[in-house]
Amino acid sequence: MKLLEGKRALVTGVANKWSIATGIARQLHAHGAQVAFTYQGERVKDGVSEIAAECGGGPVVECDVSSNESIAACAKALEGFGKLDALVHSIAFVNKEDLVGKVFTTSRSGFAQAMDISSYSLIALVNGFVDSLNDGSSVMALTYLGATQIVPNYNIAGIAKSALESIVRYLAFDLGDRGIRVNAISAGPIKTASSRQVGGFSRILDVVPKVAPLKRNVTQEDVGDCAVYLASDLSRSVTADVHFVDSGYHAMGMYPPDVLG
Ligand code: 0WD
């Protein structure tokens, strides 16, 4: 039996085939879910439509999470798709110049935009889709270790993830009376358009296989399979959690001697 047979999911944050959201959509579809997609801007529309076609041909609707009007229009456009059993938030934005150097040089406007798109957008998305969510459904957001630990150059992105993880907990409380679960997946580093903006990202990718208990980097599919679990009834009692899919890297307090060579 497929875990997500008869379930409907909305996946945000597909920009291209490397996006983590693409891996999530593929795995949700492989486990039987019907998947709808949002995209941000005409630039990525065709690419997202191709991925949607591979994943069962569900609807593809524009949604810019920095605009309440865009979110409302998206929710309206998706009414015909039916009520959702899973809502995936896989979105972040930080100005490139704020992903290198000192946090104290971050501009006020750069901070506000990063928080708006990377953190507040989960609140806005849930508000826009709250009537479209089935009772017992699952909301999930993508986060990173930099939310709680210092990761050089992740800077303001980490601060925004910290807020995002807190938002996950408060939304879990808000929606718990409807049995709706809200969780975060903390993914290990994966090469994508967004992650490549982080200063020294390739070095981060090099370190994980040397240090993490599982001695390897994670893939989009690894994250996608965790999303399947969170979207399924198997995780029916799991909410307000941050679940790591990072080969165990987050648990290391210190590198073994000489591990980095
Ligand atoms: O190592 C990594 N790649 C990790 C990523 C490790 C741990 C967590 N994450 C998180 C990211 O912070 C993000 O929350 O995973 C999520 C997805 O990121 P990604 O898959 O690494 O990156 P990408 O493929 O660039 O998708 C992020 C997308 C945007 O892509 P582009 O490249 O076009 O900026 O976020 C979307 C957009 O599709 N996005 C928006 N969507 C709607 N409205 C907006 C917006 N205003 N801004 C960005």
Side-chain angles (χ1 to χ4, degrees), residues 123-144:
I123 294 177
L125 208 58
V126 166
N127 194 30
F129 280 89
V130 71
D131 294 333
S132 308
L133 291 171
N134 274 323
D135 288 357
S137 60
S138 172
V139 177
M140 62 194 92
L142 271 296
T143 186
Y144 180 58

Side-chain angles (χ1 to χ4, degrees), residues 85 87 122 126 133-141 164-185 226 229-243:
D85 302 292
L87 174 60
L122 180 62
V126 166
L133 291 171
N134 274 323
D135 288 357
S137 60
S138 172
V139 177
M140 62 194 92
L164 182 74
E165 292 183 6
S166 183
I167 290 166
V168 161
R169 288 185 285 272
Y170 280 95
L171 291 178
F173 183 73
D174 282 356
L175 296 170
D177 56 357
R178 289 180 53 197
I180 298 174
R181 298 169 295 104
V182 187
N183 293 288
I185 300 175
C226 178
Y229 160 72
L230 287 178
S232 80
D233 297 338
L234 293 180
S235 59
R236 60 192 169 275
S237 301
V238 178
T239 196
D241 194 27
V242 177
H243 189 64

Side-chain angles (χ1 to χ4, degrees), residues 205-218 246-249 252 255-256 259:
L205 275 181
D206 288 345
V207 167
V208 173
K210 294 182 175 143
V211 171
L214 293 180
K215 301 283 183 284
R216 60 174 174 79
N217 277 306
V218 301
D246 71 342
S247 297
Y249 182 87
M252 298 299 297
Y255 298 165
V259 76

Side-chain angles (χ1 to χ4, degrees), residues 54-117:
E54 281 171 33
C55 294
V60 178
V61 177
E62 180 157 32
C63 183
D64 179 344
V65 294
S66 66
S67 154
N68 290 342
E69 292 72 32
S70 179
I71 293 172
C74 176
K76 181 116 191 77
L78 284 169
E79 274 172 7
F81 181 62
K83 288 212 169 193
L84 301 174
D85 302 292
L87 174 60
V88 179
H89 176 286
S90 186
I91 290 169
F93 177 82
V94 177
N95 285 321
K96 191 173 178 191
E97 62 267 26
D98 292 331
L99 288 169
V100 68
K102 306 289 187 194
V103 170
F104 61 71
T105 65
T106 306
S107 68
R108 197 177 291 266
S109 61
F111 182 87
Q113 192 181 13
M115 295 295 283
D116 184 32
I117 298 177

Side-chain angles (χ1 to χ4, degrees), residues 13-16 18-21 39-40 43-44 63-66 89-93 117 142-144 154 161 164 185-195 201:
V14 173
N16 53 49
W18 294 281
S19 297
I20 291 177
Y39 67 93
Q40 189 220 358
R43 172 181 61 94
V44 297
C63 183
D64 179 344
V65 294
S66 66
H89 176 286
S90 186
I91 290 169
F93 177 82
I117 298 177
L142 271 296
T143 186
Y144 180 58
Y154 200 60
K161 289 301 190 198
L164 182 74
I185 300 175
S186 187
I190 296 175
K191 197 189 265 187
T192 63
S194 293
S195 63
F201 180 74

